Amino acid sequence: MSVTIHTPNTHALEEPLVKAWRDVPVSVAVDLVPNSQIDPVVKAHAVHDRPIQMAGPALTVSCTPPDFGAVVRALDEVCAGRVVIIDASAQTSHAVIGEILGGHLRAKGCAGLVVNGAVRDISDLGNWDDFPVFALSINPLGPTSANDGSINTPVKVGGVVIRPGDLVLGDRDGLAVLTPEQAQDRLHDAQVKLALEAEWIEGLASGKSAKEVFGL
């Protein structure tokens, strides 16, 4: 077998749309689109206490540990702004990426990394606030071959199907995935919800009762 690289058939997300979603917490996104939430078992592994805010179109990678051939090939396929999604079939027996490959993705300007499996070198991977890393687990044991896998095919992570080009959002609360259509159609709703939450905060701070603020 060998690594298969597919050409995605989705329309590219426009940068202004991605930029607008960077200001939207994952909690707001999943409230608006409940089936967008990735299972929180895939969580941020940050060793710093700085904010995490990730948004970008997905580049999907599928591999089967201990082989990570598709992860290696993805280094040449990815471009700036992408969130790299590695589906290792929820197998955590071997890490499929660490500081060297992760650092190269970061250097290329990728927006972040989501691994349905294990990562290693977390002291480095987890200390980059410009390249958030989400994974099922940490395992120091690395891969043993680099022969197989696929790039740019639909994958399933945390119960959610992710297709190449889908918008991936991440913060310390967790992860959400929106189709390009959902990202376009629900942005206004998300901005309205953020404005409403700001009104709630202002109302509570002004001394109004919670009953009055929330219209109970």
Side-chain angles (χ1 to χ4, degrees):
M1 296 181 66
S2 60
V3 176
T4 304
I5 302 174
H6 298 265
T7 301
N9 56 7
T10 56
H11 296 293
L13 288 164
E14 297 292 336
E15 176 55 28
L17 181 62
V18 175
K19 184 178 179 180
W21 275 102
R22 288 194 188 106
D23 296 327
V24 179
V26 169
S27 58
V28 170
V30 300
D31 280 350
L32 293 172
V33 189
N35 62 358
S36 67
Q37 182 182 5
I38 290 178
D39 192 316
V41 296
V42 184
K43 60 184 180 180
H45 288 280
V47 299
H48 61 79
D49 58 3
R50 300 182 295 275
I52 293 174
Q53 197 68 36
M54 180 182 75
L59 178 133
T60 60
V61 180
S62 180
C63 67
T64 304
D67 189 279
F68 76 143
V71 180
V72 177
R73 289 294 303 276
L75 299 180
D76 297 327
E77 298 297 320
V78 76
C79 58
R82 294 280 176 167
V83 175
V84 178
I85 310 292
I86 301 175
D87 180 15
S89 302
Q91 295 187 33
T92 59
S93 60
H94 297 73
V96 293
I97 192 168
E99 183 270 335
I100 295 175
L101 272 60
H104 187 68
L105 294 176
R106 180 190 181 213
K108 293 191 75 169
C110 294
L113 175 67
V114 178
V115 181
N116 186 27
V119 300
R120 67 178 182 177
D121 304 327
I122 201 61
S123 293
D124 293 305
L125 281 183
N127 199 38
W128 299 329
D129 53 7
D130 60 344
F131 185 76
V133 174
F134 296 78
L136 271 180
S137 69
I138 302 166
N139 188 338
L141 182 62
T144 60
S145 61
N147 301 314
D148 302 327
S150 61
I151 297 172
N152 283 328
T153 58
V155 297
K156 193 170 186 178
V157 178
V160 177
V161 174
I162 306 173
R163 295 174 176 83
D166 282 352
L167 178 65
V168 183
L169 307 174
D171 59 27
R172 287 190 180 271
D173 277 355
L175 292 160
V177 178
L178 304 176
T179 66
E181 294 76 18
Q182 289 171 331
Q184 185 69 56
D185 294 344
R186 302 312 299 268
L187 176 61
H188 176 70
D189 297 332
Q191 292 170 333
V192 169
K193 178 71 181 299
L194 289 176
L196 179 60
E197 290 184 350
E199 290 179 10
W200 291 342
I201 294 169
E202 183 179 355
L204 292 170
S206 72
K208 292 181 180 179
S209 69
K211 181 179 179 180
E212 183 180 3
V213 170
F214 294 108
L216 302 177

